[in-house]
Amino acid sequence: MPAFLLRRFLQSIVVMLTVALIAFGLFRYVGDPINNLVGQDTTLEERDELRERLGLNDAFIVQFGRFVRDVSIGEFGFSYQHRRPVRELVAERLPATLELSLVSALLALLVGAPMGVYTALRRRGFVSRGFMTLSLIGISLPTFLIGILLILFFGVILRWLPTFGRGEVVALGWWTTGFLTASGLKSLVMPSITLALFQMTLIMRLIRAEMLEVLRTDFIKFAHARGLPARSVHFRHALKNTMVPVITITGLQLGSIIAFAIITESVFQWPGMGLLFIQAIGEVDIPVMAAYLVLIAFFFVAINLVVDVLYFVVDPRLRADKATANGQ
Amino acid sequence: MAEIQPAGSNRVGDRLRRAIESDIWFSFTRSPVTMLSAAVTAIAFLAALFAPWIAPHDPFDLASIDLLDASLPPAWMTDGDPRFLLGTDDQGRDVFSTIMFGARISLVVGFASVLFSLVLGVGLGLVSGYAGGRLDAFIMRVADVQLSFPAILIALLIDGVARSVLPRDHHDELAFYVLVFAIGVSGWVQYARTVRGSTLVEKNKEYVQAARVIGIRRSTILLRHILPNVTGPVLVIATIHLAVAIITEATLSFLGVGVPPTTPSLGTLIRVGNDFLFSGDWWITIFPGLALVVLVLAVNLLGDWLRDALNPKLR
């Protein structure tokens, strides 16, 4: 177990360093960093001096080391486009993305899980078939199209909900939240549904498949034979045993939600990190791109690591397998 | 070598005929949904392929476009014009025709990306499975890491990085290749894993050992002996991947980092039309969107059916 954890941890660090290398490569070699800092009337001598002062003449490995050190304390330099520190920009945008992702994840789980259980228990029912067909359409509908359709119906035709932005936000220290105002909550509805729909279908299908698998096993038949009420068998015996894969997949999906937020934010002009990144690509604003690259990779690596560790903690069979495998 | 060739292709031909005569064709004719999706896919392919000849208007021929026809609603609505079945966009272009041309671009990018992924994935899978050892461990580790990120994020990141590396003036010309590369690289893992698995099984079989004993070169063994025996599942993956690739392309184009508006794909059309949603001209964006969904759904259903039909365990 500790050996596995250590290997897993080292692997995460290698991934992070690779991503950092790509980000650094972008930073350093796409365009001339000096050109992006100074005006046209700066003389060649001044440029050389600046180059020397900023350490751009140092060996590659020294520069890369400095980059990694800066990045690990959250220092990503200045945005070319906004002329402000990237750290400030990200800190401004982070709450928007995280709030949206959190609401979507909860929505996906709280709606998707009961639907999955229901479709597994009433396999051939009319409603179940309806859910399954809907979920197939849900998977085939691209995220941005769901957003557009929602905007068309609830924003343009019915005029019930705002179609862009976060509404009014309340500042709590450096964190801004839309949870505390009516317009903030209303603005959240459509983006969070858009973002949640795909994950919802995924969770529903996963739980359905896992439930069907468990319901076939002997201990469920035995529980029925013991005369336990169906409700108890379904929820205390069956559902409990589907939870391990569901928890891990849901954990992993959290990363996907943050990634898919790029699309949703773009549709709804939601002022989060994804929108910042898309605009940065359009403007070739490399410090912002590099920062996003590193941040998103960090989120993913961290989530994956936690989920892997949880897997070992939650499922004793894995520990046993590993132990015997190591013993041989 | 020359004598082996016809024998080999004959065997494939035989196998194909046998397959059609037996289960697959049977299961195809027994599933109305599959036949419908096959029909939809075929119509979409033909419409896209022959768009320049069968489209009612040429949306890129400036002479045939009249600004007076701009923003007309679909033909069945009041103010609709029978010449323009699904209405016109803000520049007077026929929406139905632009969809046909857009589907053309979407399908070309989709197929090219799938082909790229397939060649890359199958190649790496073969090498990984056959060579084993460190190379295998390395390739599979990279695959694991890539698999932990969503494909669309990988495609978006590659696309973004490639765009910032390439000179700005050439973005539009290179956009197609950048897209195919980005979507292609984001999808190779599944092919590689599947092919590696089958290769591991095949390489210990007697015919491979026999080939090795009589001194046939490694590359020949891989390409002529093992490859034909591991391609079965690849077809299924490729079909489902086509749907994914089309969606990915549409998404990237919608985000404005895909194909340029001068050669619009379905995603670009939706992006452009999206600006007119608030002025009530919903048809400019909804119809391309509908076309995209129908196309992707049909391909997905075909892929699902193919997976079940080719897998005897599920029958």
Side-chain angles (χ1 to χ4, degrees), chain A residues 7 11 15 19 22 26 30-31 136-137 139-145 148-149 151-152 155-156 159 163-164 252 255-256 259-260 262-263 266-267 277-278 281-284 286 289 292-293 296-297 300-301 304, chain B residues 141 144-145 148-150 152-153 156-157 159-161 163-166 168 171 247 250-252 254-257 266-267 270-271 274 277-280 282 285-286 288-290 292-293 296-298 300-301 304:
Chain A
R7 206 171 56 222
Q11 191 192 330
V15 172
V19 173
I22 296 171
L26 272 179
V30 179
L136 192 66
I137 295 173
I139 286 176
S140 296
L141 264 182
T143 315
F144 63 95
L145 215 53
I148 290 178
L149 289 175
I151 288 182
L152 180 62
V156 179
R159 296 185 180 279
T163 54
F164 63 90
L252 291 178
S256 290
F260 274 94
I262 299 175
I263 304 163
S266 185
V267 176
F277 176 64
I278 278 294
I281 290 182
E283 301 290 327
V284 198
I286 290 169
M289 284 176 61
Y292 187 82
L293 211 64
I296 200 93
F300 267 90
V301 167
N304 275 313
Chain B
R141 196 37 42 92
D144 282 348
V145 169
S148 61
F149 293 81
I152 193 150
L153 183 67
L156 186 60
L157 294 181
D159 195 90
V161 169
R163 274 173 170 257
S164 54
V165 172
L166 295 170
R168 243 185 162 181
H171 272 183
I247 286 196
T251 306
L252 293 183
F254 175 79
L255 292 175
V257 292
L266 290 175
I270 297 167
R271 171 192 177 79
N274 196 24
L277 203 58
F278 295 101
S279 52
W282 53 271
T285 185
I286 294 301
L290 212 60
L292 178 70
V293 173
V296 169
L297 191 62
N300 257 337
L301 286 170
D304 275 357

Side-chain angles (χ1 to χ4, degrees), chain B residues 6-310:
Chain B
S9 61
N10 249 343
R11 206 172 52 222
V12 173
D14 276 349
R15 206 181 285 163
L16 201 70
R17 202 175 316 124
R18 239 185 302 145
I20 285 176
E21 277 166 7
S22 65
D23 304 337
I24 295 194
W25 184 250
F26 180 73
S27 104
F28 181 73
T29 52
R30 289 297 292 274
S31 161
V33 175
T34 308
M35 283 176 14
L36 184 68
S37 27
V40 169
T41 313
I43 291 172
F45 279 19
L46 290 177
L49 195 62
F50 296 109
W53 297 281
I54 56 173
H57 302 268
D58 183 354
F60 304 107
D61 177 14
L62 289 175
S64 75
I65 302 172
D66 192 346
L67 264 180
L68 289 176
D69 293 332
S71 303
L72 289 173
W76 61 85
M77 289 172 66
T78 45
D79 303 339
D81 187 320
R83 281 180 303 154
F84 306 108
L85 182 63
L86 301 180
T88 57
D89 68 2
D90 61 311
Q91 291 172 42
R93 290 182 294 209
D94 178 36
V95 169
F96 185 57
S97 307
T98 54
I99 288 176
M100 285 170 85
F101 279 88
R104 202 172 146 90
I105 309 271
S106 291
L107 281 170
V108 168
V109 174
F111 269 113
S113 326
V114 167
L115 197 68
F116 189 87
S117 281
L118 195 145
V119 172
L120 188 68
V122 171
L124 285 175
L126 274 177
V127 170
S128 188
Y130 195 72
R134 288 222 166 145
L135 187 62
D136 178 36
F138 176 72
I139 293 176
M140 284 303 119
R141 196 37 42 92
V142 173
D144 282 348
V145 169
Q146 183 171 331
L147 212 57
S148 61
F149 293 81
I152 193 150
L153 183 67
I154 305 253
L156 186 60
L157 294 181
I158 294 175
D159 195 90
V161 169
R163 274 173 170 257
S164 54
V165 172
L166 295 170
R168 243 185 162 181
D169 314 339
H170 299 287
H171 272 183
D172 284 2
E173 306 154 39
L174 296 175
F176 173 79
Y177 303 99
V178 171
L179 255 187
V180 170
F181 179 77
I183 302 174
V185 170
S186 72
W188 65 276
V189 174
Q190 274 197 306
Y191 297 94
R193 288 189 146 199
T194 315
V195 168
R196 173 180 174 269
S198 324
T199 306
L200 283 178
V201 176
E202 293 296 324
K203 85 170 177 189
N204 291 322
K205 288 198 177 159
E206 281 177 1
Y207 72 93
V208 175
Q209 286 174 352
R212 219 179 303 166
V213 168
I214 60 175
I216 295 178
R217 270 185 313 170
R218 262 185 172 205
S219 55
T220 316
I221 294 182
L222 272 182
L223 294 178
R224 288 204 168 252
H225 298 249
I226 297 184
L227 183 64
N229 289 307
V230 296
T231 43
V234 169
L235 185 65
V236 177
I237 301 178
T239 314
I240 294 172
H241 188 206
L242 178 64
V244 175
I246 292 174
I247 286 196
T248 310
E249 185 279 327
T251 306
L252 293 183
S253 292
F254 175 79
L255 292 175
V257 292
V259 293
T262 42
T263 49
S265 70
L266 290 175
T268 322
L269 290 176
I270 297 167
R271 171 192 177 79
V272 173
N274 196 24
D275 296 339
F276 302 100
L277 203 58
F278 295 101
S279 52
D281 301 348
W282 53 271
W283 56 90
I284 306 179
T285 185
I286 294 301
F287 286 128
L290 212 60
L292 178 70
V293 173
V294 170
L295 179 61
V296 169
L297 191 62
V299 175
N300 257 337
L301 286 170
L302 267 186
D304 275 357
W305 163 77
L306 203 61
R307 186 187 53 207
D308 295 350
L310 290 179

Side-chain angles (χ1 to χ4, degrees), chain A residues 36 58 169 185 191 260 283 292 298:
Chain A
N36 288 308
D58 293 347
V169 291
L185 287 174
F260 274 94
E283 301 290 327
Y292 187 82
F298 177 72

Side-chain angles (χ1 to χ4, degrees), chain A residues 8-26:
Chain A
R8 202 56 198 69
F9 188 70
L10 285 178
Q11 191 192 330
S12 307
I13 289 188
V14 170
V15 172
M16 278 315 294
L17 280 178
T18 314
V19 173
L21 191 65
I22 296 171
F24 171 71
L26 272 179

